[in-house]
Coordinates of all heavy atoms in Angstrom, one line a residue:
M74 N 0.8 -1.2 0.0 CA 0.0 0.0 0.0 C 0.8 1.3 0.0 O 0.5 2.3 -0.6 CB -0.9 0.1 1.3 CG -2.0 -0.9 1.1 SD -3.3 -0.1 0.1 CE -4.6 -1.2 0.5
T75 N 2.1 1.3 0.6 CA 2.8 2.5 0.7 C 3.3 2.8 -0.7 O 3.6 4.0 -0.9 CB 4.0 2.2 1.7 OG1 4.8 1.1 1.2 CG2 3.4 2.0 3.0
D76 N 3.6 1.8 -1.6 CA 4.1 2.1 -2.9 C 3.0 3.0 -3.7 O 3.4 3.8 -4.4 CB 4.3 0.8 -3.8 CG 5.5 0.1 -3.2 OD1 6.3 0.8 -2.4 OD2 5.6 -1.1 -3.3
K77 N 1.8 2.7 -3.6 CA 0.7 3.5 -4.3 C 0.6 4.9 -3.7 O 0.5 5.8 -4.5 CB -0.6 2.7 -4.1 CG -0.8 1.5 -4.9 CD -2.2 1.0 -4.7 CE -2.2 -0.4 -5.5 NZ -3.6 -1.0 -5.3
K78 N 0.9 5.0 -2.5 CA 0.9 6.3 -1.8 C 2.0 7.3 -2.4 O 2.0 8.4 -2.7 CB 0.9 6.2 -0.4 CG 0.7 7.7 0.3 CD 0.7 7.6 1.8 CE 0.6 8.9 2.5 NZ 0.7 8.8 3.9
D79 N 3.2 6.6 -2.4 CA 4.4 7.3 -2.9 C 4.3 7.6 -4.5 O 4.6 8.7 -4.8 CB 5.7 6.4 -2.8 CG 6.0 6.3 -1.3 OD1 5.6 7.1 -0.5 OD2 6.7 5.4 -1.0
N80 N 3.7 6.8 -5.3 CA 3.5 7.0 -6.7 C 2.4 8.0 -6.9 O 2.6 8.9 -7.8 CB 3.1 5.7 -7.5 CG 4.3 4.7 -7.4 OD1 5.5 5.2 -7.4 ND2 4.0 3.5 -7.5
A81 N 1.4 8.2 -6.0 CA 0.4 9.2 -6.2 C 0.9 10.5 -5.8 O 0.5 11.6 -6.4 CB -0.7 8.9 -5.3
E82 N 1.9 10.7 -5.0 CA 2.5 12.0 -4.5 C 3.5 12.5 -5.5 O 3.7 13.7 -5.5 CB 3.1 11.9 -3.1 CG 2.0 11.6 -2.1 CD 2.7 11.7 -0.7 OE1 3.9 12.2 -0.6 OE2 2.1 11.2 0.3
L83 N 4.1 11.6 -6.3 CA 5.1 12.2 -7.2 C 4.5 13.1 -8.3 O 5.0 14.2 -8.6 CB 5.8 11.0 -7.9 CG 6.8 10.3 -7.1 CD1 7.3 9.1 -7.8 CD2 7.9 11.2 -6.6
P84 N 3.4 12.9 -8.8 CA 2.9 13.9 -9.9 C 2.5 15.2 -9.2 O 2.6 16.3 -9.8 CB 1.7 13.1 -10.5 CG 1.9 11.8 -10.3 CD 2.7 11.7 -9.1
R85 N 2.0 15.2 -8.0 CA 1.7 16.3 -7.3 C 3.0 17.1 -7.0 O 3.0 18.4 -7.1 CB 0.9 16.0 -5.9 CG 0.4 17.2 -5.2 CD -0.1 17.0 -3.9 NE -1.1 15.9 -3.9 CZ -1.5 15.2 -2.9 NH1 -1.1 15.5 -1.7 NH2 -2.3 14.2 -2.9
R86 N 3.9 16.5 -6.6 CA 5.3 17.2 -6.4 C 5.8 17.7 -7.6 O 6.3 18.9 -7.7 CB 6.2 16.3 -5.7 CG 5.9 15.9 -4.4 CD 6.9 15.0 -3.8 NE 6.7 14.6 -2.4 CZ 7.2 13.7 -1.7 NH1 8.3 13.0 -2.2 NH2 6.9 13.4 -0.5
D87 N 5.7 17.0 -8.7 CA 6.2 17.5 -10.0 C 5.3 18.7 -10.5 O 5.9 19.7 -10.8 CB 6.1 16.5 -11.1 CG 7.1 15.4 -10.9 OD1 8.1 15.6 -10.2 OD2 7.0 14.3 -11.4
F88 N 4.1 18.7 -10.2 CA 3.3 19.8 -10.5 C 3.6 21.1 -9.7 O 3.7 22.2 -10.2 CB 1.7 19.5 -10.2 CG 0.9 20.8 -10.4 CD1 0.4 21.3 -11.6 CD2 0.3 21.3 -9.2 CE1 -0.4 22.4 -11.7 CE2 -0.5 22.5 -9.3 CZ -0.8 22.9 -10.6
L89 N 3.9 20.9 -8.4 CA 4.3 22.0 -7.5 C 5.7 22.6 -8.0 O 5.8 23.9 -8.0 CB 4.3 21.6 -6.1 CG 2.9 21.2 -5.4 CD1 3.1 20.7 -4.1 CD2 2.1 22.6 -5.4
K90 N 6.6 21.7 -8.4 CA 7.8 22.2 -8.8 C 7.7 23.0 -10.2 O 8.3 24.1 -10.2 CB 8.8 21.0 -9.1 CG 9.4 20.3 -8.0 CD 10.1 19.1 -8.4 CE 10.5 18.3 -7.2 NZ 11.3 17.2 -7.5
V91 N 6.9 22.4 -11.1 CA 6.7 23.2 -12.3 C 6.0 24.6 -12.1 O 6.2 25.6 -12.6 CB 5.8 22.3 -13.4 CG1 5.4 23.2 -14.6 CG2 6.7 21.2 -13.7
A92 N 4.9 24.5 -11.2 CA 4.2 25.8 -10.9 C 5.2 26.8 -10.3 O 5.0 28.0 -10.5 CB 3.1 25.4 -9.9
G93 N 6.0 26.3 -9.4 CA 7.0 27.4 -8.8 C 7.9 27.9 -9.8 O 8.2 29.1 -9.8
V94 N 8.5 27.2 -10.7 CA 9.3 27.6 -11.8 C 8.6 28.5 -12.7 O 9.2 29.6 -13.1 CB 10.0 26.4 -12.5 CG1 10.8 26.9 -13.6 CG2 11.0 25.6 -11.5
A95 N 7.4 28.1 -13.0 CA 6.6 29.0 -14.0 C 6.3 30.3 -13.4 O 6.2 31.3 -14.0 CB 5.3 28.3 -14.4
S96 N 6.1 30.4 -12.0 CA 5.7 31.6 -11.5 C 6.9 32.6 -11.4 O 6.8 33.7 -11.7 CB 5.1 31.5 -10.1 OG 6.1 31.0 -9.2
V97 N 8.1 32.1 -11.2 CA 9.2 32.8 -11.3 C 9.5 33.4 -12.7 O 9.8 34.5 -12.8 CB 10.4 32.1 -10.7 CG1 11.8 32.8 -11.0 CG2 10.3 31.7 -9.3
A98 N 9.3 32.5 -13.7 CA 9.6 32.9 -15.1 C 8.6 33.9 -15.5 O 8.9 34.9 -16.2 CB 9.5 31.7 -16.0
A99 N 7.4 33.8 -15.1 CA 6.3 34.9 -15.4 C 6.7 36.2 -14.6 O 6.5 37.3 -15.3 CB 4.9 34.4 -14.9
A100 N 7.2 36.1 -13.4 CA 7.6 37.4 -12.7 C 8.8 38.1 -13.4 O 8.7 39.3 -13.6 CB 7.9 37.1 -11.3
L101 N 9.8 37.3 -14.0 CA 10.8 37.9 -14.7 C 10.3 38.4 -15.9 O 11.1 39.4 -16.5 CB 12.0 36.9 -14.9 CG 12.7 36.4 -13.5 CD1 13.7 35.2 -13.9 CD2 13.3 37.5 -12.9
A102 N 9.3 37.9 -16.6 CA 8.9 38.3 -17.9 C 8.3 39.8 -17.9 O 8.2 40.5 -18.7 CB 8.0 37.4 -18.5
V103 N 7.7 39.9 -16.7 CA 6.9 41.2 -16.4 C 7.8 42.4 -16.0 O 7.4 43.5 -16.3 CB 5.8 41.0 -15.3 CG1 5.0 42.2 -15.0 CG2 4.9 39.9 -15.8
V104 N 8.9 42.1 -15.3 CA 9.8 43.1 -14.9 C 10.4 44.0 -16.1 O 11.0 43.3 -17.0 CB 11.0 42.5 -14.1 CG1 12.0 43.5 -13.7 CG2 10.5 41.7 -12.9
P105 N 10.2 45.2 -16.1 CA 10.7 46.0 -17.3 C 12.3 46.0 -17.2 O 12.9 46.1 -16.3 CB 10.3 47.4 -17.0 CG 9.9 47.5 -15.6 CD 9.6 46.0 -15.1
K106 N 12.9 46.0 -18.4 CA 14.3 46.0 -18.7 C 14.7 47.5 -18.8 O 14.2 48.2 -19.7 CB 14.8 45.1 -19.6 CG 14.4 43.6 -19.4 CD 14.8 42.8 -20.7 CE 14.6 41.4 -20.3 NZ 14.9 40.5 -21.6
K107 N 15.9 47.8 -18.2 CA 16.4 49.1 -18.4 C 17.6 49.0 -19.4 O 18.2 48.1 -19.3 CB 16.9 49.6 -17.1 CG 16.0 50.0 -15.9 CD 16.5 50.7 -14.6 CE 15.6 51.0 -13.7 NZ 16.1 51.5 -12.5
E108 N 17.6 50.0 -20.3 CA 18.6 50.0 -21.3 C 19.9 50.6 -20.6 O 19.8 51.5 -19.7 CB 18.3 50.9 -22.4 CG 17.0 50.4 -23.2 CD 16.8 51.1 -24.5 OE1 17.7 51.7 -25.0 OE2 15.7 51.1 -25.0
A109 N 21.0 50.1 -21.0 CA 22.2 50.6 -20.4 C 22.6 51.9 -20.9 O 22.3 52.5 -22.1 CB 23.4 49.7 -21.0
E110 N 23.0 52.9 -20.0 CA 23.3 54.2 -20.3 C 24.9 54.2 -20.6 O 25.6 53.7 -19.8 CB 22.9 55.1 -19.1 CG 21.4 55.1 -18.9 CD 21.1 56.0 -17.8 OE1 22.0 56.8 -17.2 OE2 20.0 56.0 -17.2
A111 N 25.2 55.1 -21.5 CA 26.6 55.3 -21.8 C 27.2 56.2 -20.8 O 26.6 57.2 -20.3 CB 26.8 55.9 -23.1
A112 N 28.4 55.8 -20.2 CA 29.1 56.5 -19.1 C 29.8 57.8 -19.9 O 30.5 57.7 -20.9 CB 30.1 55.6 -18.5
S113 N 29.6 58.8 -19.4 CA 30.3 60.1 -19.9 C 31.6 60.2 -19.3 O 31.8 59.9 -18.2 CB 29.3 61.3 -19.5 OG 29.3 61.5 -18.1
P114 N 32.6 60.5 -20.0 CA 33.9 60.7 -19.6 C 34.0 61.8 -18.5 O 33.5 62.9 -18.7 CB 34.8 60.9 -20.8 CG 33.8 61.5 -21.7 CD 32.4 60.9 -21.4
E115 N 34.7 61.5 -17.4 CA 34.8 62.6 -16.4 C 35.9 63.5 -16.7 O 37.0 62.9 -17.2 CB 35.0 61.9 -15.0 CG 33.9 61.1 -14.6 CD 34.1 60.5 -13.2 OE1 35.1 60.9 -12.5 OE2 33.4 59.5 -12.9
P116 N 35.8 64.7 -16.5 CA 36.9 65.7 -16.8 C 38.1 65.4 -15.9 O 37.8 65.1 -14.7 CB 36.3 67.1 -16.6 CG 35.1 66.9 -15.7 CD 34.6 65.4 -16.0
K117 N 39.3 65.6 -16.3 CA 40.4 65.4 -15.5 C 40.5 66.5 -14.5 O 40.5 67.7 -14.8 CB 41.8 65.3 -16.4 CG 41.7 64.0 -17.1 CD 43.0 64.0 -18.0 CE 43.1 62.7 -18.9 NZ 44.2 62.8 -19.6
S118 N 40.7 66.2 -13.2 CA 40.7 67.2 -12.2 C 42.2 67.6 -11.9 O 42.4 68.7 -11.3 CB 40.1 66.7 -11.0 OG 40.8 65.6 -10.5
S119 N 43.1 66.8 -12.4 CA 44.6 67.3 -12.2 C 45.0 68.3 -13.1 O 44.5 68.4 -14.2 CB 45.4 66.0 -12.2 OG 45.5 65.5 -13.6
A120 N 45.9 69.0 -12.8 CA 46.5 70.1 -13.6 C 47.5 69.6 -14.7 O 47.9 70.3 -15.5 CB 47.3 71.2 -12.8
G121 N 47.8 68.3 -14.5 CA 48.7 67.7 -15.5 C 50.1 67.6 -15.1 O 50.4 67.9 -13.8
Y122 N 51.1 67.6 -16.0 CA 52.5 67.5 -15.6 C 52.9 68.9 -15.2 O 52.7 69.8 -15.9 CB 53.3 67.0 -16.8 CG 54.9 66.9 -16.6 CD1 55.3 65.9 -15.9 CD2 55.6 68.0 -17.1 CE1 56.7 65.9 -15.6 CE2 56.9 67.9 -17.0 CZ 57.5 66.9 -16.2 OH 58.8 66.9 -16.0
R123 N 53.6 68.9 -14.2 CA 54.2 70.1 -13.6 C 55.7 69.9 -13.3 O 56.1 69.0 -12.6 CB 53.5 70.8 -12.4 CG 52.1 71.2 -12.7 CD 51.5 71.8 -11.4 NE 51.2 70.5 -10.6 CZ 50.8 70.6 -9.4 NH1 50.5 71.8 -8.8 NH2 50.6 69.6 -8.7
E124 N 56.5 70.8 -14.0 CA 58.0 70.7 -13.7 C 58.3 71.5 -12.5 O 58.4 72.8 -12.6 CB 58.7 71.1 -15.0 CG 60.3 70.7 -14.8 CD 60.9 71.0 -16.1 OE1 60.5 70.7 -17.2 OE2 62.0 71.9 -16.1
T125 N 58.6 70.9 -11.3 CA 58.9 71.7 -10.1 C 60.4 71.7 -9.9 O 61.0 71.1 -10.7 CB 58.2 70.9 -8.9 OG1 58.5 69.6 -8.8 CG2 56.7 70.9 -9.0
E126 N 60.8 72.3 -8.9 CA 62.1 72.6 -8.5 C 62.8 71.2 -8.4 O 63.9 71.1 -9.0 CB 62.3 73.5 -7.4 CG 63.8 73.9 -7.1 CD 64.4 74.6 -8.3 OE1 63.7 75.4 -8.9 OE2 65.6 74.4 -8.5
H127 N 62.4 70.3 -7.6 CA 63.1 69.0 -7.5 C 63.1 68.2 -8.8 O 64.0 67.4 -8.9 CB 62.4 68.2 -6.3 CG 61.2 67.6 -6.5 ND1 59.9 68.2 -6.5 CD2 60.8 66.3 -6.9 CE1 58.9 67.4 -6.8 NE2 59.4 66.3 -7.1
I128 N 62.2 68.3 -9.5 CA 62.2 67.7 -10.9 C 63.3 68.4 -11.8 O 64.1 67.5 -12.4 CB 60.8 67.6 -11.6 CG1 60.0 66.8 -10.8 CG2 60.9 67.2 -12.9 CD1 58.5 66.8 -11.4
R129 N 63.4 69.5 -11.7 CA 64.4 70.2 -12.5 C 65.8 69.8 -12.0 O 66.7 69.5 -12.9 CB 64.3 71.8 -12.5 CG 63.3 72.4 -13.3 CD 63.3 73.8 -13.5 NE 61.8 74.1 -13.3 CZ 61.2 74.8 -12.4 NH1 61.9 75.3 -11.4 NH2 59.9 75.0 -12.5
T130 N 66.0 69.7 -10.7 CA 67.2 69.2 -10.0 C 67.6 67.9 -10.6 O 68.7 67.5 -10.9 CB 67.1 69.4 -8.6 OG1 66.8 70.6 -8.2 CG2 68.5 69.0 -8.0
Y131 N 66.5 67.0 -10.5 CA 66.8 65.6 -11.0 C 67.2 65.6 -12.6 O 68.1 64.8 -12.9 CB 65.5 64.7 -10.9 CG 65.6 63.4 -11.5 CD1 66.3 62.5 -10.9 CD2 64.9 63.1 -12.7 CE1 66.4 61.1 -11.5 CE2 65.0 61.9 -13.4 CZ 65.7 60.9 -12.7 OH 65.7 59.6 -13.2
Y132 N 66.5 66.4 -13.5 CA 66.9 66.4 -14.8 C 68.3 66.9 -14.9 O 69.1 66.4 -15.8 CB 66.0 67.4 -15.5 CG 64.6 66.7 -15.9 CD1 63.5 67.6 -16.2 CD2 64.3 65.5 -15.7 CE1 62.3 67.1 -16.4 CE2 63.1 64.9 -15.9 CZ 62.1 65.7 -16.3 OH 60.8 65.2 -16.5
E133 N 68.8 68.0 -14.2 CA 70.2 68.3 -14.3 C 71.1 67.3 -13.8 O 72.3 67.2 -14.4 CB 70.3 69.6 -13.4 CG 69.6 70.9 -14.0 CD 69.6 72.0 -13.1 OE1 70.4 72.0 -12.0 OE2 68.9 73.0 -13.3
T134 N 70.8 66.5 -12.8 CA 71.7 65.6 -12.4 C 71.8 64.2 -13.3 O 72.8 63.6 -13.4 CB 71.3 65.0 -11.1 OG1 70.0 64.4 -11.0 CG2 71.5 66.0 -10.0
T135 N 70.7 64.1 -14.1 CA 70.8 62.9 -15.0 C 71.1 63.4 -16.4 O 71.2 62.5 -17.4 CB 69.4 62.2 -15.1 OG1 68.4 63.3 -15.4 CG2 69.1 61.6 -13.7
K136 N 71.3 64.7 -16.7 CA 71.7 65.3 -18.0 C 70.6 65.0 -19.0 O 70.9 64.8 -20.1 CB 73.1 64.6 -18.5 CG 74.2 64.8 -17.4 CD 74.7 66.1 -17.4 CE 75.9 66.0 -16.4 NZ 76.2 67.1 -15.8
F137 N 69.3 65.2 -18.6 CA 68.3 65.1 -19.6 C 68.1 66.3 -20.3 O 68.1 67.5 -20.1 CB 66.9 64.9 -18.9 CG 66.6 63.5 -18.9 CD1 66.5 62.7 -17.8 CD2 66.2 62.9 -20.1 CE1 66.1 61.4 -17.8 CE2 65.8 61.4 -20.1 CZ 65.8 60.8 -19.0

């Protein structure tokens, strides 16, 4: 008798698994997708290369 009970529950379990997966798939299908936005290049905040006194001293010692 226990074999019939186990076999009868398998289709119900399969149905519940499929129902769970289908509900998640339906929820994902309804969620609106956002389009990717292009990143704008950020302006450089540094002043760039500056030749300071210690750099000039280094250049003089290396004969640049």
Side-chain angles (χ1 to χ4, degrees):
M74 287 280 194
T75 59
D76 291 335
K77 289 182 182 179
K78 184 178 181 183
D79 290 340
N80 289 336
E82 290 184 21
L83 286 179
R85 185 184 315 163
R86 288 182 183 170
D87 289 340
F88 172 75
L89 293 175
K90 288 178 188 177
V91 171
V94 171
S96 65
V97 170
L101 290 176
V103 174
V104 175
K106 296 180 182 176
K107 293 184 179 180
E108 292 187 26
E110 296 178 9
S113 60
E115 296 181 17
K117 293 182 179 179
S118 61
S119 66
Y122 177 79
R123 291 181 287 174
E124 190 173 311
T125 58
E126 185 62 36
H127 74 277
I128 292 176
R129 281 188 224 116
T130 305
Y131 172 76
Y132 286 162
E133 289 174 12
T134 59
T135 59
K136 308 286 187 205
F137 261 115

